[in-house]
């Protein structure tokens, strides 16, 4: 037999048997002695290092390398023997780096060497998946709307109870469970370490104890009784108080199926209506009971629209245009296209997406579908597409009259945007603090805030950036404004509803004054309400906390003053008195229109100069006669 280490020690193991407690105590004493020696070595090294610092020597040596003798100078790697040329041990690298990870941060994200774009894309992906889960859960709830269950949930919410079906409660419960699991694992690990230290590493005491805890002794509920030992109610059906649970569940399911309503189908097109608007709609159909509409459950329907809009915005940011288009179109169908306003900005974002991705046909269908919408994002985009179709692409059916008709409709919706497009450089100098409004994206239609949001967007995918990237579009708007301001005929031969008149442009002062008055009145009412609540509910901490968290609305007075300053600069510079130019007409087919427009402007300026000349000549004769006298 080969003379190996295992064969040499075979008889010793047979004779020795298991380890005894004495051997275990000896090993523990040896370990404690070695730990004490290391502690003494570190203490001596620390004292020596302090002495060296006091003497002026700035040499720093690692504490673990000190022994009774001072360490020798370390040789270079190429001078070391082969058995010492080893790479460093990186086994504990991640453990050391994990100590520097801050709390509430993913370790892999913090320690990864990704760039800014990769980190942002991962954040967008996580946010998209979270919003998608919320949308799916709320959609299932609306498709199977049970008034009885919703009433119970509303009552529990009013009483302050927690809704166990909500996503917030599930996420909070998941975080608590994770924390409890981590604490339980740490406690179990500490117990295992104590058992190892007490009974030894190879002892089976702790394993037996763990198995007893894991596999508990079965109780009476697990017994399987047969014959006479079975309960009587399982054998005979004579107890009148007994109720079959399966039949009870079947009856409850049938009753619920009769109560359940599909809100997605019944309230389609009315998701944004509140109770007052629903009452007005039902009162209009009071004579016909068949036209009475199912009440829209708020605020869940509006919350669903908000979540869908957020999902579309995230998909648009990730450049998933098909998913974003699907979300925005669903918002349009649920909210309805017959209303002149929208509680979301899904319409505006969908129009901007069509414009930025060069989909003019889809954008044309969208604005034809939203004919009653008064938003500047819809109407001015329609005017821009019609201008491109007429002047640049020369498509059939598009003329200068049709483009000016859409521009007039857009100006009637928001007159401030027209001046932003006509003289962008002047307004760029006058307007300040516009980044907040551009990022806000929820300004009311027809207001000065919406005009600033549209006219100060330097991004090429929306607003002024889209117009600036189109050849001759800004010059066309300026020429139309100057032609209307310098003309004496307000209505002309065409229908005044289709043609732009001077009153549509000069109404900006009255609208701006009205907006300032409304803003001051609302601000005073809010201040009075806040003072009243502070005096009556000073002890209520929740109400005060809610007031502090409210987002401040933009100061309309400040932005209105900036707009009025820019208009004063334009009037002082004489920009509104200049003759319109038609250099933006680049096509040869539109040359006749260009010549006709130039002839009209020349006749107007000639008449003005003739009048001025006659006045001057008359004054000259009078002066000569006076001098002769």
């Amino acid at each position: 037999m080969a003379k190996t280490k295992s064969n040499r020690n075979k008889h010793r193991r047979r004779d020795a048997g298991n380890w005894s407690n004495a051997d275990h105590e000896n090993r523990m004493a040896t370990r404690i002695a070695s730990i004490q020696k290391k502690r003494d070595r570190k203490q001596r090294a620390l004292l020596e290092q302090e002495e060296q610092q006091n003497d002026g020597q700035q040499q720093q040596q690692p504490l673990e390398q000190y022994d009774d003798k001072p360490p020798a100078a370390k040789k270079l790697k190429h001078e070391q023997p082969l058995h010492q040329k080893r790479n460093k041990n990186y086994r504990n690298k991640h453990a050391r780096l994990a100590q520097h990870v801050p709390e509430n941060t993913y370790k892999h994200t913090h320690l990864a060497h990704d760039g800014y774009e990769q980190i942002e894309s991962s954040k967008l992906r996580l946010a998209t998946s979270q919003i998608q889960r919320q949308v799916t859960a709320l959609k299932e709830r609306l498709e199977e709307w049970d008034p009885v269950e919703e009433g119970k949930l509303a009552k529990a919410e009013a009483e302050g109870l927690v809704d166990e079906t909500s996503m917030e409660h599930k996420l909070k419960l998941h975080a608590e469970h994770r924390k409890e699991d981590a604490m339980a694992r740490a406690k179990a690990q500490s117990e295992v370490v104590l058992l190892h230290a007490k009974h030894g590493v190879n002892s089976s005491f702790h394993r037996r104890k763990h198995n007893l805890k894991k596999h508990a002794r079965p109780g009476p509920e697990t017994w399987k009784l047969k014959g006479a030992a079975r309960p009587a109610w399982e054998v005979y059906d004579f107890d009148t108080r007994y109720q079959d649970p399966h039949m009870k569940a079947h009856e409850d399911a049938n009753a619920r199926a009769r109560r359940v309503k599909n809100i997605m189908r019944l309230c389609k097109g009315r998701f944004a209506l509140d109770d007052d608007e629903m009452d007005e709609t039902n009162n209009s159909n009071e004579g016909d009971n068949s036209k009475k509409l199912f009440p829209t459950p708020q605020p869940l329907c509006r919350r669903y629209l908000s979540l869908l809009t957020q999902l579309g915005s995230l998909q648009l940011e990730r450049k998933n245009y098909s998913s974003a288009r699907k979300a925005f179109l669903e918002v349009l169908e649920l909210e309805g296209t017959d209303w002149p306003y929208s509680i979301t900005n899904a319409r505006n974002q969908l129009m901007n997406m069509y414009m930025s991705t060069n989909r003019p046909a889809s954008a044309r269908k969208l604005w034809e579908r939203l004919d009653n919408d008064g938003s500047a994002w819809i109407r001015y985009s329609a005017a821009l597409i019609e201008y491109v179709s007429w002047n640049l692409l020369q498509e059939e059916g598009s003329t200068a009259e049709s483009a000016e008709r859409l521009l007039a409709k857009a100006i009637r919706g928001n007159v401030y945007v027209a001046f932003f497009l006509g003289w962008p450089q002047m307004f760029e100098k006058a307007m300040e603090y516009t980044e907040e409004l551009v990022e806000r994206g929820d300004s009311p239609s027809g207001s000065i805030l919406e005009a600033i949001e549209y006219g100060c967007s330097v991004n090429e995918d929306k607003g002024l950036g889209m117009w600036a990237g189109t050849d001759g579009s800004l010059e066309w708007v300026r020429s139309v404004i100057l032609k209307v301001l310098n003309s004496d005929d307000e209505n002309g031969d065409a229908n005044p509803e289709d043609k732009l008149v001077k009153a549509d442009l000069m109404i900006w002062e009255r609208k701006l004054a009205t907006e300032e008055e409304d803003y001051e009145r609302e601000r005073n009412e809010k201040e009075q309400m806040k003072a009243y609540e502070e005096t009556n509910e000073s002890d209520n901490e929740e109400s005060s906390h809610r007031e502090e968290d409210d987002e401040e609305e933009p100061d309309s007075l400040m932005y209105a003053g900036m707009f009025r300053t820019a208009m004063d600069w334009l009037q002082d510079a004489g920009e509104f008195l200049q003759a319109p130019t038609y250099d933006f007409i680049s096509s040869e087919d539109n040359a006749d229109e260009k010549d006709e427009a130039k002839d009209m402007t020349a006749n107007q300026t000639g008449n003005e100069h003739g009048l001025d000349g006659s006045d001057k000549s008359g004054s000259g004769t009078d002066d000569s006669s006076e001098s002769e006298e």
Side-chain angles (χ1 to χ4, degrees):
M1 182 180 293
K3 201 171 185 180
T4 59
K5 184 177 180 181
S6 60
N7 293 330
R8 288 198 305 267
N9 299 332
K10 190 173 182 180
H11 62 283
R12 297 179 184 176
R13 291 201 306 273
R14 191 184 300 114
D15 298 339
N18 295 331
W19 288 349
S20 62
N21 292 333
D23 296 338
H24 175 65
E25 293 177 357
N26 293 333
R27 286 193 301 273
M28 290 297 296
T30 305
R31 292 173 189 170
I32 294 173
S34 62
I35 293 173
Q36 187 65 30
K37 286 182 180 180
K38 290 182 180 179
R39 189 181 294 111
D40 296 341
R41 259 198 319 271
K42 289 183 179 180
Q43 190 67 23
R44 289 198 305 271
L46 186 61
L47 293 174
E48 291 178 1
Q49 188 176 6
E50 291 179 356
E51 291 177 358
Q52 290 179 1
Q53 289 179 357
N54 294 333
D55 295 340
Q57 298 178 359
Q58 299 296 331
Q59 299 178 358
Q60 296 181 357
Q61 299 292 341
L63 302 181
E64 290 79 6
Q65 297 180 1
Y66 277 95
D67 204 342
D68 297 337
K69 297 181 180 179
K74 188 176 180 181
K75 295 183 180 180
L76 299 176
K77 189 170 183 180
H78 65 275
E79 296 180 358
Q80 293 177 356
L82 293 177
H83 68 278
Q84 293 184 3
K85 292 181 180 180
R86 299 176 181 176
N87 295 326
K88 295 181 179 180
N89 188 6
Y90 291 98
R91 287 181 300 177
N92 298 328
K93 176 182 178 181
H94 296 289
R96 294 195 307 271
L97 293 176
Q99 297 176 358
H100 303 285
V101 178
E103 297 181 358
N104 301 328
T105 306
Y106 289 102
K107 181 174 67 175
H108 296 289
T109 305
H110 183 78
L111 301 178
H113 298 283
D114 297 336
Y116 177 76
E117 297 180 356
Q118 294 175 338
I119 294 175
E120 290 297 323
S121 63
S122 62
K123 290 181 180 179
L124 287 174
R125 185 177 65 254
L126 292 174
T128 304
S129 61
Q130 182 180 4
I131 296 296
Q132 182 65 58
R133 287 194 296 268
Q134 296 181 13
V135 168
T136 304
L138 189 55
K139 185 176 183 181
E140 293 177 355
R141 183 178 174 183
L142 291 174
E143 287 178 347
E144 298 181 357
W145 180 265
D146 188 0
V148 176
E149 294 181 359
E150 295 298 331
K152 292 180 181 178
L153 292 176
K155 184 178 179 181
E157 186 177 357
E159 294 177 356
L161 301 178
V162 180
D163 183 12
E164 297 181 356
T165 60
S166 63
M167 186 62 64
E168 293 81 5
H169 175 70
K170 291 181 180 179
L171 293 175
K172 184 178 181 181
L173 194 63
H174 177 66
E176 293 178 357
H177 288 172
R178 287 186 60 184
K179 188 175 181 180
E180 292 177 358
D181 293 343
M183 295 174 62
R185 284 194 296 269
K187 184 179 179 181
Q189 185 68 21
S190 61
E191 290 179 356
V192 170
V193 171
L194 290 175
L195 288 173
H196 286 176
K198 185 175 181 181
H199 301 285
V201 179
N202 296 330
S203 177
S204 61
F205 178 80
H206 57 282
R207 289 198 296 271
R208 288 197 303 270
K209 189 175 181 181
H210 175 71
N211 292 335
L212 289 175
K213 287 184 178 180
K214 185 176 181 182
H215 305 286
R217 184 175 180 178
E221 66 275 1
T222 60
W223 298 349
K224 295 181 180 179
L225 304 178
K226 297 181 181 179
R230 296 171 62 190
W233 62 267
E234 293 185 0
V235 182
Y236 304 102
D237 191 6
F238 61 86
D239 191 357
T240 57
R241 297 172 298 175
Y242 171 71
Q243 188 176 11
D244 190 358
H246 303 288
M247 292 298 297
K248 180 72 166 54
H250 182 66
E251 293 175 358
D252 293 344
N254 290 337
R256 185 179 183 277
R258 289 190 295 268
R259 293 193 310 265
V260 163
K261 304 292 183 181
N262 189 353
I263 301 299
M264 305 291 291
R265 181 175 57 84
L266 293 175
C267 301
K268 185 178 180 180
R270 298 182 287 109
F271 264 52
L273 298 183
D274 54 4
D275 297 337
D276 297 338
E277 293 172 343
M278 282 298 304
D279 294 339
E280 294 177 1
T281 307
N282 290 329
N283 291 334
S284 61
N285 301 329
E286 189 174 357
D288 191 357
N289 294 328
S290 61
K291 293 185 178 180
K292 279 208 168 182
L293 303 175
F294 186 83
T296 306
Q298 299 293 359
L300 291 179
C301 290
R302 290 193 173 188
R303 185 173 174 230
Y304 184 72
L305 293 178
S306 176
L307 290 175
L308 264 183
T309 307
Q310 295 178 31
L311 181 61
S313 302
L314 290 173
Q315 296 288 7
L316 185 61
E317 186 71 20
R318 298 177 62 191
K319 297 184 179 180
N320 295 337
Y321 298 116
S322 59
S323 302
R325 177 177 175 273
K326 182 179 178 182
F328 291 146
L329 288 177
E330 187 176 357
V331 172
L332 261 67
E333 292 178 358
L334 295 176
E335 188 178 6
T337 58
D338 298 334
W339 312 105
Y341 62 89
S342 174
I343 63 171
T344 64
N345 59 352
R347 301 177 179 182
N348 306 339
Q349 294 193 62
L350 184 59
M351 177 63 76
N352 291 332
M353 188 184 73
Y354 285 154
M355 298 286 288
S356 61
T357 55
N358 196 12
R359 296 290 182 88
S362 301
R364 188 184 295 271
K365 291 180 181 178
L366 180 60
W367 97 61
E368 290 175 356
R369 185 179 177 185
L370 302 173
D371 189 35
N372 296 329
D373 195 334
S375 174
W377 299 91
I378 304 297
R379 294 193 175 185
Y380 278 93
S381 299
L384 178 60
I385 292 176
E386 190 66 20
Y387 165 77
V388 173
S389 178
W390 155 63
N391 190 25
L392 301 181
L393 301 180
Q394 304 177 18
E395 296 179 353
E396 296 182 1
S398 298
T399 60
E401 290 77 9
S402 62
E404 290 185 5
R405 191 183 307 115
L406 290 175
L407 181 60
K409 185 177 180 181
I411 291 176
R412 292 189 187 98
N414 194 321
V415 66
Y416 312 109
V417 180
F419 295 104
F420 273 97
L421 297 178
W423 292 270
Q425 297 178 356
M426 186 67 71
F427 284 94
E428 183 180 1
K429 296 178 182 178
M431 306 306 295
E432 295 180 354
Y433 310 108
T434 58
E435 294 82 3
E436 299 178 358
L437 286 179
V438 173
E439 295 177 358
R440 186 182 177 92
D442 57 350
S443 302
S445 300
S447 63
I448 183 64
L449 302 179
E450 185 192 29
I452 294 173
E453 181 185 347
Y454 189 91
C456 296
S457 298
V458 295
N459 191 1
E460 296 180 358
D461 296 340
K462 61 180 182 179
L464 180 62
M466 188 71 68
W467 284 81
T470 306
D471 295 337
S473 59
L474 299 179
E475 291 80 2
W476 170 62
V477 175
R478 183 165 59 250
S479 66
V480 171
I481 295 174
L482 293 177
K483 182 176 68 174
V484 173
L485 290 177
N486 295 329
S487 64
D488 296 333
D489 189 7
E490 294 186 357
N491 295 332
D493 299 334
N495 190 359
E497 296 181 358
D498 298 336
K499 187 177 180 181
L500 184 66
V501 295
K502 189 182 296 184
D504 297 333
L505 294 173
M506 302 305 296
I507 201 174
W508 67 269
E509 292 183 308
R510 189 173 63 194
K511 284 188 175 182
L512 198 62
T514 304
E515 289 188 25
E516 291 175 348
E517 293 176 359
D518 295 341
Y519 177 77
E520 288 182 352
R521 183 177 65 256
E522 292 178 359
R523 186 176 62 180
N524 295 333
E525 291 177 356
K526 288 182 180 179
E527 290 179 355
Q528 293 176 1
M529 184 66 69
K530 187 176 180 180
Y532 177 76
E533 291 180 356
E534 287 179 355
T535 54
N536 295 341
E537 300 180 3
S538 58
D539 298 335
N540 193 355
E541 298 179 357
E542 295 182 358
S543 62
S544 61
H545 182 68
R546 194 187 312 116
E547 291 173 359
E548 292 176 359
D549 294 342
D550 290 341
E551 185 179 359
E552 295 184 0
E553 295 184 357
D555 191 355
S556 298
L557 292 176
M558 179 182 67
Y559 292 112
M562 294 178 184
F563 183 84
R564 189 175 282 106
T565 301
M567 294 297 291
D568 293 341
W569 289 352
L570 291 174
Q571 291 178 0
D572 295 341
E575 292 289 337
F576 298 142
L577 300 177
Q578 296 181 2
T581 59
Y582 298 92
D583 297 334
F584 59 88
I585 302 179
S586 58
S587 61
E588 297 179 357
D589 297 339
N590 297 331
D592 298 336
E593 298 178 1
K594 183 176 180 179
D595 295 338
E596 292 177 1
K598 286 185 177 180
D599 294 338
M600 292 174 60
T601 55
N603 293 331
Q604 291 178 1
T605 55
N607 294 332
E608 293 176 358
H609 289 306
L611 293 174
D612 296 339
S614 62
D615 295 338
K616 291 179 181 178
S617 62
S619 62
T621 54
D622 295 339
D623 294 340
S624 61
S625 62
E626 289 177 359
S627 62
E628 290 177 357
E629 291 177 357

